[in-house]
Amino acid sequence: MTVSRESSRLLDVARRAALEVRDPLREAFRSTIAVDYKVDLHDVVTEHDKRSEETITAFIMREVPDSILLGEEGGTVGNGSIQWYVDPIDGTNNFARGFAFWCVSIAAVVEGEIVAGVVYDPVSDNMFTADLDGAYLNGQRIVSSAVPQEQHATLITGYPVSRDFRLDGKRQALDDIGVLIETFSTVRRPGSAALSIAHVAAGWVDAAAGFGVNPWDVTAAILILRQARGTYLPLTLGKVDETAKDYAYPGYVAIGQGGNYPTLTGIAKNISERRQVLATGPRVTAARA
């Protein structure tokens, strides 16, 4: 099978896997949802995250037995040549509180390269997809488009959160976001990295940035953005070696085609360099499988 056909096949599996959890998640959204916490009070999880990941995992393993899957909730499952990165609900805080900005993210990686990606928004029923032939929204090819200059642009970012205050210092973090607010026409904090990057790919916003993401958050969205001719700038934040795959990097800047935003990229690189100086532990050279 050619690489292109394999990419298309895996995209079809990812798309159908996302649809497997559409109805249950729609029914659960804005219902009474029990919330638990992982790392701290800012990191929530629900029974629907766990159940959806189990459904997606079972579907993928049935369709593509030669797979190893890394999910946000269940860790690593399987043993195969095709790697999958799954976030059953990216934006769980939003999902749990009834704010309609969350998604399902599924990506396939072969020999270290992303070959298929799905970011599915069940509320709007918008499905962003990409394979090696292009990027699509609900089956129609998309090309990203950003305004050329920062002062006219809209930026989506989750920065800063409490973790950023601890790592960068509250004063520095607030200074950084203050400069971005002053520079950009609009700055928004909707709370899902995958869906934010997908919005950049669709040309609905101009740029997105994050400084604490995992492979299951961004892998699918990276391919969608790049196939839509956008730019994805990975940031090590002192946590990975520069030889690591882009989807293993914990930070990023995503910019639509045509955008040139030196203030954003400058601040992002400064954040990454500051954290590099602070880093004391061992660094990894590749994404976990």
Side-chain angles (χ1 to χ4, degrees):
M1 183 179 295
T2 66
V3 174
S4 179
R5 286 184 61 191
E6 177 72 347
S7 170
S8 178
R9 180 180 77 92
L10 295 176
L11 175 57
D12 180 64
V13 171
R15 181 187 60 79
R16 289 186 288 124
L19 292 175
E20 285 285 304
V21 298
R22 173 182 59 189
D23 292 344
L25 290 178
R26 281 178 171 175
E27 291 172 7
F29 183 54
R30 292 177 178 160
S31 68
T32 301
I33 297 176
V35 172
D36 200 357
Y37 300 92
K38 293 188 282 188
V39 177
D40 55 34
L41 294 178
H42 305 284
D43 191 7
V44 308
V45 65
T46 73
E47 62 179 314
H48 304 289
D49 296 77
K50 299 172 182 177
R51 191 177 303 155
S52 295
E53 185 170 309
E54 290 170 357
T55 299
I56 292 169
T57 299
F59 183 90
I60 289 175
M61 290 302 179
R62 184 170 63 250
E63 294 289 319
V64 189
D66 182 27
S67 292
I68 180 169
L69 186 146
L70 178 61
E72 180 173 14
E73 310 306 333
T76 303
V77 176
N79 184 18
S81 63
I82 300 170
Q83 298 174 342
W84 297 86
Y85 294 95
V86 175
D87 194 339
I89 306 176
D90 186 45
T92 300
N93 279 281
N94 292 343
F95 173 79
R97 296 300 300 154
F99 178 51
F101 199 88
W102 52 274
C103 66
V104 180
S105 177
I106 304 172
V109 173
V110 177
E111 296 182 353
E113 300 303 320
I114 314 168
V115 299
V118 165
V119 172
Y120 178 54
D121 177 349
V123 178
S124 66
D125 201 26
N126 281 323
M127 183 171 286
F128 305 86
T129 62
D131 58 14
L132 296 182
D133 291 329
Y136 308 88
L137 172 58
N138 299 328
Q140 301 297 312
R141 190 178 294 271
I142 56 174
V143 177
S144 64
S145 176
V147 299
Q149 299 172 331
E150 292 173 316
Q151 60 265 37
H152 299 138
T154 294
L155 167 68
I156 289 181
T157 182
Y159 187 86
V161 295
S162 59
R163 175 189 61 245
D164 300 313
F165 287 163
R166 293 194 301 269
L167 293 171
D168 300 335
K170 183 180 290 188
R171 181 181 296 275
Q172 182 64 65
L174 292 175
D175 284 347
D176 286 342
I177 192 62
V179 171
L180 293 174
I181 290 171
E182 290 175 334
T183 301
F184 280 79
S185 175
T186 307
V187 177
R188 294 287 182 262
R189 293 168 49 90
S192 165
L195 199 51
S196 294
I197 297 167
H199 275 53
V200 177
W204 296 344
V205 295
D206 302 293
F211 302 92
V213 297
N214 297 290
W216 50 79
D217 299 317
V218 298
T219 304
I222 290 171
L223 183 65
I224 294 167
L225 176 66
R226 286 181 167 162
Q227 291 296 77
R229 302 180 190 171
T231 298
Y232 187 87
L233 172 66
L235 303 164
T236 71
L237 304 183
K239 290 187 175 182
V240 298
D241 190 270
E242 292 182 355
T243 61
K245 295 297 183 179
D246 289 355
Y247 49 85
Y249 284 54
Y252 74 90
V253 171
I255 300 175
Q257 181 178 225
N260 179 27
Y261 306 148
T263 305
L264 172 61
T265 55
I267 287 176
K269 289 177 180 178
N270 287 340
I271 292 170
S272 187
E273 289 170 2
R274 287 199 303 267
R275 296 192 188 178
Q276 176 68 57
V277 172
L278 292 173
T280 57
R283 294 186 294 170
V284 300
T285 57
R288 292 178 297 165

